[in-house]
Amino acid sequence: MRRRDFLRDTALGTGALLASRWASFAHAFESNTRGARVEVLLDEPLGTISPNIYGHFAENLSGVIYDGMWVGENSKIPNINGIRKELVEEMRKIKPSVVRFPGGCFADSYDWRDGIGPADKRPRRTNFWEDGESPSAPASHKYDPNQFGTNEFVHFCKLIGSEPYLAANVRSLTAQDFYRWVEYCNSPKGSTTLADVRAAGGYSDPFNVRYWGVGNESPQFHQELSFIASGPNVEDWNWTRGFLEEVLKKGHGQLRSIYGMALHHYAWNLSRGATQDWVKGKRDALQFEPVDWYELLREGDRMEGLITGHWQVMSEFDPEHSIKLVVDEWGPWYRPGNEATASNQLEQIPTLRDAVFSGMTLDIFNRHAEKVGMANCAQLINCLNSLYLAHEEKFCVTPVGHVFAMYAEHQGGQGLRTIFSAPDVTYDRDGKPARFWGLKGSASLHDKQLVLTVVNPDVSAARESEISVRGASIQSGSATTLTHTDIHAHNSFEQRNVVAPQSRSINGKGGTLTYSFPAASVNKLVLRLA
Ligand code: AHR
């Protein structure tokens, strides 16, 4: 079907309003085939963008906690009660809503009692991840010294202005152990023995931890707790269906005791054809061709279908959608070999590609604001898609960290339906033509301020775009762009600002403005509306 015929048929089928919109897109396409249009529909709200979409994940895995977050009170590295000061300062800038701890896989081996009480009395335990640790890794990576436990984690959250999300061990501990952990954290001062233990550690006020990750056997407390059920990995629709069937066997009321269902999706960036061997088949974090760039983004872009697919299954059992999706692990995952600190297991150095991937993913969450109750990027520091890298006194913000800083302004806004119309990017995949979308993003309204984030995935072409805000006039604005001429660009301990956002002011005319989104870029426009 020719584009003109498609536009005509679509317009006829969906009424006069769409007809006029599509007619203007047709004009734009025909006058400039490399151009694009972005139309923000102020009168089509999608729901409030939960700040929890901008959440993080910190597992007790290799260099994440020890060295990354925790340096110890007696360290020469600047710290606040043992917590790395530079990390706290950077995180305060990004409005981190929630942090998940202590895993992941680690959570299923963790006894929370090991991490409370006087620090010098806490036991050392073999870390779940010790098998993968290199001989040169510090002892704290193999043998968990438990210096960073519940108190320290909750204190960290308080310092950065975040809510704690604790993942309970329901594999090797009992439901009663879980109950006791809730009691330790949340029982009022002077009430229970565990509240006294907490107070003796210097924390007399209850932590009031609200988010708890569980597999099953949720304890009942006379407080508002938000349980997050262990959920599907990628497109395991049967897990979602089976889980909800079981919950409903206990009655409809049970649905309301669950805040969210977890969903995990990592983009493996596998060699083409290598679907089985997920370790050897993975490709490199730093050395890649444009085809790898697009293929990784394509893999990440599956997130949108996963959200809508699981939501569809959930609606069969929970049509009112009292349960939300909690995407508590997401990000790209490359093969080992490019760690900033050689001994750090699962550490990778994020490049501009990972910034574009992260902007794209956060835009997907924003576009599904009514479905996604929380999301947690895996993982915060010294790991997979990390916002920060640190080793001893060295520290840097990665391009992913900059994306989180740029997107923080979406938090709590009213998501708006936004139409992106741009020609696809075409590229060569093993001698055959392949395509990827040309421009996408998301928008949110905060009183009279519109925040529009846009990703241009094209590795070589800028996208000249006409942006219209229907029914409003643009008074003033600013544009922030994160990009680089080299798609492999990244920050390091030695060169901390190779990839950094640049801002400038922009002007509109009425409700329209023209903006050129650079090649391989993540962009934020903040527009003051009359
Ligand atoms: O993020 C690393 C690991 O990936 C987590 O521990 C686990 O949940 C997932 O497989």
Side-chain angles (χ1 to χ4, degrees), residues 46-198:
L46 297 174
T48 303
I49 295 177
S50 169
N52 285 352
I53 284 175
Y54 293 85
H56 305 281
F57 174 31
E59 179 164 8
N60 190 348
L61 193 184
S62 211
V64 177
I65 305 294
Y66 297 103
D67 198 19
M69 295 163 71
W70 179 259
V71 295
E73 286 177 344
N74 300 323
S75 171
K76 63 180 190 321
I77 301 161
N79 68 82
I80 307 172
N81 310 117
I83 297 163
R84 186 181 283 276
K85 187 162 179 265
E86 202 166 3
L87 175 66
V88 170
E89 286 167 354
E90 282 300 330
M91 288 200 76
R92 282 178 179 157
K93 297 180 192 165
I94 66 166
K95 298 205 280 173
S97 49
V98 62
V99 186
R100 178 177 181 237
F101 169 82
C105 294
F106 176 85
D108 275 338
S109 67
Y110 181 62
D111 186 340
W112 62 271
R113 289 182 184 84
D114 291 344
I116 63 166
D120 59 347
K121 299 276 184 308
R122 296 185 192 175
R124 266 173 288 122
R125 305 280 188 212
T126 307
N127 188 302
F128 168 88
W129 290 95
E130 65 94 34
D131 262 359
E133 288 300 333
S134 83
S136 59
S140 59
H141 295 188
K142 260 188 158 175
Y143 303 108
D144 178 7
N146 276 303
Q147 299 300 291
F148 190 88
T150 305
N151 298 352
E152 292 74 20
F153 171 64
V154 173
H155 186 54
F156 167 72
C157 289
K158 203 167 178 182
L159 288 174
I160 61 171
S162 199
E163 276 212 64
Y165 163 14
L166 289 172
N169 175 353
V170 290
R171 182 176 291 176
S172 55
L173 293 184
T174 65
Q176 189 175 51
D177 292 307
F178 178 19
Y179 184 94
R180 294 284 178 246
W181 199 10
V182 178
E183 190 178 76
Y184 174 79
C185 290
N186 292 359
S187 55
K189 63 178 164 188
S191 63
T192 66
T193 301
L194 283 171
D196 292 346
V197 176
R198 189 188 65 227

Side-chain angles (χ1 to χ4, degrees), residues 57 59 61 104-106 129 264 266 329 333 346 378-379 384:
F57 174 31
E59 179 164 8
L61 193 184
C105 294
F106 176 85
W129 290 95
H264 292 181
Y266 288 102
E329 290 186 31
W333 192 326
L346 298 197
Q379 298 195 16
L384 304 171

Side-chain angles (χ1 to χ4, degrees), residues 190-243:
S191 63
T192 66
T193 301
L194 283 171
D196 292 346
V197 176
R198 189 188 65 227
Y203 297 88
S204 58
D205 289 336
F207 294 149
N208 292 326
V209 177
R210 181 176 160 202
Y211 298 111
W212 292 90
V214 277
N216 49 28
E217 292 133 352
S218 311
Q220 297 296 322
F221 253 76
H222 302 294
Q223 285 172 283
E224 200 190 313
L225 300 183
S226 297
F227 296 113
I228 294 159
S230 170
N233 196 21
V234 214
E235 64 270 270
D236 190 350
W237 318 117
N238 285 337
W239 174 285
T240 303
R241 190 167 277 117
F243 173 78

Side-chain angles (χ1 to χ4, degrees), residues 292-465:
D292 303 310
W293 165 289
Y294 293 120
E295 291 297 295
L296 179 83
L297 295 182
R298 179 191 301 290
E299 182 63 22
D301 198 43
R302 284 171 65 203
M303 181 66 82
E304 190 144 26
L306 295 174
I307 291 169
T308 53
H310 284 290
W311 194 250
Q312 178 63 36
V313 177
M314 289 157 82
S315 62
E316 292 168 25
F317 302 89
D318 177 24
E320 287 168 11
H321 287 295
S322 61
I323 304 179
K324 304 287 180 210
L325 277 165
V326 170
V327 188
D328 57 14
E329 290 186 31
W330 66 267
W333 192 326
Y334 305 104
R335 70 175 174 225
N338 282 305
E339 300 75 19
T341 302
S343 61
N344 280 353
Q345 195 182 164
L346 298 197
E347 182 174 289
Q348 50 198 37
I349 300 178
T351 65
L352 180 62
R353 174 171 61 163
D354 302 298
V356 168
F357 181 107
S358 301
M360 172 187 82
T361 305
L362 294 172
D363 283 326
I364 292 173
F365 296 151
N366 289 343
R367 292 201 293 269
H368 295 277
E370 79 287 15
K371 306 181 187 79
V372 184
M374 188 193 291
N376 309 72
C377 180
Q379 298 195 16
L380 182 67
I381 183 166
N382 291 351
C383 196
L384 304 171
N385 201 41
S386 293
L387 286 79
Y388 313 103
L389 297 171
H391 179 50
E392 297 173 346
E393 73 292 348
K394 293 174 281 191
F395 184 89
C396 72
V397 180
T398 73
V400 174
H402 288 309
V403 169
F404 270 86
M406 288 167 67
Y407 276 58
E409 268 179 273
H410 274 303
Q411 292 187 23
Q414 181 59 247
L416 297 172
R417 197 161 85 82
T418 303
I419 302 172
F420 292 83
S421 305
D424 283 351
V425 182
T426 54
Y427 62 99
D428 180 280
R429 181 173 54 205
D430 305 329
K432 296 198 185 102
R435 310 175 83 86
F436 191 70
W437 49 257
L439 202 72
K440 277 195 187 180
S442 64
S444 62
L445 190 64
H446 311 247
D447 194 14
K448 292 279 178 197
Q449 184 158 288
L450 179 74
V451 178
L452 174 68
T453 46
V454 180
V455 164
N456 177 7
D458 194 320
V459 294
S460 52
R463 188 73 70 187
E464 180 85 5
S465 306

